[in-house]
Amino acid sequence: MRQPLVAGNWKMNGSRAGIAELLSGLKAGIGQVTAAEVAVCAPAIYISDVQQQLEGSAFKWGGQDVSVHTSGAYTGEIAGPMLRDFGCHFVIVGHSERRAYHAESDELVAQKFAAAWAAGLVPILCLGETLDEREQGATESVVARQLDAVIAQCGIDTVGEGVIAYEPVWAIGTGRTASLDQAQQVHAFIRGRLAQSNQSVADGLRILYGGSMNPKNAADLLAQPDIDGGLIGGASLKSDDFLAVCAAASD
Ligand code: PGA
């Protein structure tokens, strides 16, 4: 039985005051316990505020990116041990926006996964095809290539310590959600691919869906057999919406 996980990805949104308000809404709404694991991934500069407000609540928190290095002359980067220092549990690696705007290769993403794991973080590995790739029928080969790079770098057992998020790029922030069949099909494909390396890792690993998931469509998506939670962008910026998705995952 895989415990559902709902993780918010705030991306580069919010202000210190706005985030304080969002956090108090989240804390008030969630109480101490949910059946689902719940988390928010904040802009790095606000993580200390997040830690102060969420410590002792049901929420965990995390970063949105991590350096492959542990320290040194890497201006602007944030190391895994630094995220741990502020109580981060998770970190997103290989988000499509990092792949697209920062030219992150499959190999670099795999190194980030390894660095996150070595620092004691749980990496949330994002995989997903662009619209062009889907239209060319390349969805499975793209997702397999992205996943295989991490298995090759880290080994299947370490991959099993993380979380996977399938995020079709064309569904991110567009209001255009993958259909239940489209999402389930790719999730099952990813699980099958993992099973080729290790069946028990495949059975235990949580595969989240991300891409315009919201309070209206969450329950149906989460009812799919291979969808184990969500990575939520836009709908994580309003406490009521995010709590509604958390509640759908806890049912
Ligand atoms: P979205 O973003 O929910 O706004 O589509 C999801 C994500 O990019 O993680």
Side-chain angles (χ1 to χ4, degrees):
M1 184 59 194
R2 298 180 291 268
Q3 184 189 23
L5 168 63
V6 179
N9 173 12
W10 293 347
K11 311 194 179 188
M12 197 178 73
N13 289 299
S15 61
R16 198 169 191 192
I19 283 174
E21 205 180 306
L22 175 57
L23 289 168
S24 48
L26 292 178
K27 251 187 1 180
I30 202 90
Q32 296 290 312
V33 195
T34 67
E37 192 173 25
V38 290
V40 292
C41 295
I45 199 162
Y46 296 129
I47 288 175
S48 138
D49 287 6
V50 170
Q51 178 181 33
Q52 276 177 35
Q53 284 212 52
L54 292 187
E55 200 112 65
S57 76
F59 279 100
K60 297 184 169 97
W61 54 95
Q64 299 176 3
D65 180 37
V66 66
S67 173
V68 299
H69 306 287
T70 49
S71 69
Y74 302 103
T75 302
E77 297 236 50
I78 302 210
M82 296 174 176
L83 294 172
R84 284 293 300 145
D85 227 3
F86 285 86
C88 286
H89 185 83
F90 294 104
V91 67
I92 298 170
V93 297
H95 191 281
S96 62
E97 288 149 19
R98 302 282 324 167
R99 292 180 192 260
Y101 308 142
H102 299 269
E104 291 196 0
S105 64
D106 296 334
E107 288 67 33
L108 183 76
V109 170
Q111 287 168 16
K112 289 188 171 194
F113 190 103
W117 179 78
L121 294 156
V122 175
I124 301 176
L125 168 67
C126 297
L127 312 173
E129 80 288 1
T130 63
L131 187 56
D132 264 7
E133 289 164 339
R134 174 163 283 268
E135 284 170 351
Q136 285 161 24
T139 298
E140 292 188 352
S141 64
V142 168
V143 167
R145 190 199 72 219
Q146 294 172 334
L147 178 60
D148 290 354
V150 185
I151 297 175
Q153 167 82 32
C154 305
I156 187 67
D157 291 338
T158 302
V159 170
E161 305 278 322
V163 173
I164 289 176
Y166 168 58
E167 298 207 311
V169 177
W170 46 272
I172 296 177
T174 56
R176 188 178 160 194
T177 317
S179 71
L180 301 179
D181 283 353
Q182 283 173 328
Q184 166 57 26
Q185 214 169 31
V186 182
H187 281 237
F189 171 77
I190 292 169
R191 205 175 299 287
R193 190 88 184 174
L194 292 162
Q196 288 172 10
S197 297
N198 185 313
Q199 185 66 51
S200 74
V201 166
D203 291 340
L205 196 63
R206 291 177 294 183
I207 307 176
L208 317 183
Y209 170 80
S212 300
M213 192 164 174
N214 59 45
K216 289 204 178 77
N217 58 30
D220 288 341
L221 284 161
L222 292 165
Q224 300 303 305
D226 287 297
I227 300 185
D228 307 311
L231 183 57
I232 319 295
S236 72
L237 297 171
K238 288 197 193 131
S239 55
D240 288 352
D241 286 354
F242 190 58
L243 289 165
V245 176
C246 294
S250 302
D251 283 347

